[in-house]
Amino acid sequence: RLVSKPFTGLQMIRITLLWLFITFLGLYAWKDWYKALCGLILLVAVIEHPDMPKSMLGIQGLNPWNILLAIIIMAWAVSRKREGLTWDMPGHLNFLLLAYLTVIFVAFFRLLDSPQVVIAWDIAAGHGAPTVMGMWSEYIINSIKWVIPGLLLYDGCRDRTRLNWAAASLLGVYVLLGLQVIKWMPLDSLTSGAQLSERSLKILSNEVGYHRVNLSMMLAGATWAIFAARVLAQRQRLLFVILGLSILVFFAQSLTGGRTGYVTWAVVGFVLASIRWRKYLFFLPVVALLIVMFVPAAMERMSQGFTPESRDTNVRIHGRDALATADGPDAYTITAGRNIAWPLVIEKIKESPWIGYGLEGMKTTGIASTLYQEYGEVFPHPHNAYLQLMLDNGILGFIPVLLFYLVVLKYSMSLFRDSSSPVFIAVGGMSLSLIMALLVASMGSQSFYPREGAVGMWCAIGIMLRVYVERQRATIHDVATNENGSDIDKRLWQRQAT
């Protein structure tokens, strides 16, 4: 029987301040729902903190963040007519969003047809038997709610001032997360890959709330998103502040010990530099040398499995795998066990390639149980978002989801390439960085089912789509009136009625 520990004095102070902040934003939302929304977005930095209440009065999902979100949605609905807002998202994007949502719903209803395996797995894992309402809360409400802030930003971001508020709150989430990582991770962890791996796995989950793998992905994209936003700085002092914050987030990301995140950081940076910052490509070898000199633990983490002393020991794996040698690279260590999970997932996908098996396919198909019984590995998901999407939803579900990401990636790249306004470069760069971070990191972890770690990306998508639509509107008006001025910033957000 589990007995909850009483709160300490410091925890009570933090919770009291949280509720004061929530109460203020909840009341202020009726005056300006958009600024209250920006405050809600900032809370994503602490939403997984152990002190954050996860439920109230024994009701799952009744927590401060959800309550504030509900208030902001009501305030937004009331204010739309007064502000003259109309939903002007292009039809094909509406269709893709609805298709994305449909994939999630269909996968969930297929799970409800036979939830016994998932229930048994949760009981064995010590989570207790989930109820049907609990499943609705976990798989549907807790997926959709993370997308809503991005949609609200799209609908409300109608001028430059609101754009600045949105960008500040979005990037502020990652700065706050970076500060928490730096606060809790001992700096001497940077000298040893083993210490960095062990400490980050335990400390970050206990003190920040996010798993190190998720944090590494989030901060990898955020480093470049903040760097791209520097063009919005209208004063040199602010420019230096933004550059400093980018370096701070990069340093925090190095403390996470997430190898997939390290690779993600490098890939996103290389792509952005290749598209727009080609002169920075010459500095990449210098950056790599500085990392080797000042962050040796990160390089040790990346080389794990390539040397005999860094091999993970799993008798069940190495005893059966004839290809594993004592003095060569070890695929099991390099992939963190994914080399034994992925082949089983791929074989199962081949058995039902078009429609998959519904939500939690790893559990319902028995793959998770097989991996645990035969290899002692706990794999409740494939540790590959693409394989997870295919396993759960098949090709029919995979196509619309991937198509949505390809479209928003294309639009982000279009803005990032457009030099006619710093707004385009900054917003396109932020969105491109965070979307690419998810797409790259999804090869070794993550999920395409929306969750808390992707809130920043969805917010960036919402801002990007607003700017993209406004650019189209301004361009169409200029063609119709033969009014092609040089400063497109002055023509954005001016002709919404047109």
Side-chain angles (χ1 to χ4, degrees), residues 60-375:
Q60 182 177 354
L62 186 64
N63 60 60
W65 199 88
N66 290 349
I67 293 172
L68 181 57
L69 175 62
I71 295 173
I72 291 173
I73 290 174
M74 290 187 289
W76 161 78
V78 171
S79 301
R80 290 191 85 239
K81 185 176 182 179
R82 182 178 69 248
E83 296 181 17
L85 301 181
T86 57
W87 188 258
D88 55 355
M89 184 174 288
H92 64 286
L93 285 170
N94 287 325
F95 173 79
L96 288 174
L97 280 170
L98 289 174
Y100 200 144
L101 182 64
T102 300
V103 169
I104 296 174
F105 268 96
V106 170
F108 173 70
F109 286 126
R110 295 180 67 190
L111 169 64
L112 288 183
D113 284 339
S114 54
Q116 296 81 7
V117 177
V118 175
I119 293 175
W121 178 276
D122 288 346
I123 292 175
H127 302 313
T131 63
V132 174
M133 287 303 299
M135 289 184 174
W136 270 96
S137 175
E138 179 65 26
Y139 296 117
I140 296 298
I141 297 176
N142 277 353
S143 286
I144 297 174
K145 74 178 185 182
W146 305 123
V147 181
I148 292 176
L151 298 178
L152 293 180
L153 284 179
Y154 170 81
D155 197 37
C157 188
R158 306 285 180 140
D159 56 51
R160 180 63 182 269
T161 301
R162 283 192 166 187
L163 173 68
N164 292 339
W165 273 91
S169 62
L170 164 63
L171 300 179
V173 170
Y174 300 107
V175 173
L176 292 176
L177 283 172
L179 289 173
Q180 291 180 75
V181 172
I182 294 173
K183 174 185 177 181
W184 291 109
M185 281 297 295
L187 295 183
D188 60 359
S189 301
L190 292 173
T191 61
S192 169
Q195 286 188 14
L196 181 62
S197 176
E198 181 180 353
R199 291 179 176 180
S200 63
L201 186 63
K202 181 178 180 180
I203 292 176
L204 295 180
S205 294
N206 291 340
E207 302 296 346
V208 181
Y210 287 95
H211 193 277
R212 72 174 184 192
V213 173
N214 295 331
L215 273 174
S216 190
M217 180 275 296
M218 295 164 67
L219 298 180
T223 300
W224 298 111
I226 297 174
F227 187 75
R230 75 192 190 282
V231 297
L232 292 177
Q234 297 178 348
R235 298 179 181 178
Q236 190 173 25
R237 182 180 301 177
L238 181 58
L239 172 63
F240 288 131
V241 170
I242 295 175
L243 290 175
L245 293 177
S246 179
I247 295 173
L248 180 145
V249 172
F250 168 64
F251 178 65
Q253 199 255 344
S254 68
L255 286 169
T256 62
R259 291 183 294 173
T260 303
Y262 293 162
V263 174
T264 299
W265 176 88
V267 172
V268 173
F270 178 79
V271 171
L272 293 179
S274 300
I275 294 174
R276 186 165 192 92
W277 308 322
R278 294 183 180 176
K279 61 182 180 181
Y280 294 142
L281 291 173
F282 297 101
F283 293 98
L284 291 181
V286 178
V287 173
L289 180 61
L290 290 175
I291 293 175
V292 172
M293 292 174 58
F294 295 102
V295 194
M299 297 307 300
E300 286 186 30
R301 286 285 295 150
M302 289 302 300
S303 63
Q304 190 173 358
F306 290 94
T307 57
E309 61 272 10
S310 65
R311 290 162 57 95
D312 288 336
T313 57
N314 188 324
V315 177
R316 298 188 189 184
I317 304 298
H318 294 146
R320 301 180 186 189
D321 190 358
L323 297 177
T325 58
D327 55 353
D330 179 28
Y332 171 78
T333 304
I334 295 171
T335 65
R338 292 166 176 80
N339 65 314
I340 62 170
W342 288 348
L344 296 179
V345 175
I346 293 172
E347 288 301 317
K348 189 62 68 173
I349 290 173
K350 292 179 180 178
E351 296 177 13
S352 181
W354 289 102
I355 62 173
Y357 302 91
L359 205 60
E360 297 287 4
M362 282 289 288
K363 300 174 184 177
T364 59
T365 59
I367 299 175
S369 298
T370 299
L371 289 169
Y372 182 74
Q373 293 170 3
E374 295 191 13
Y375 302 103

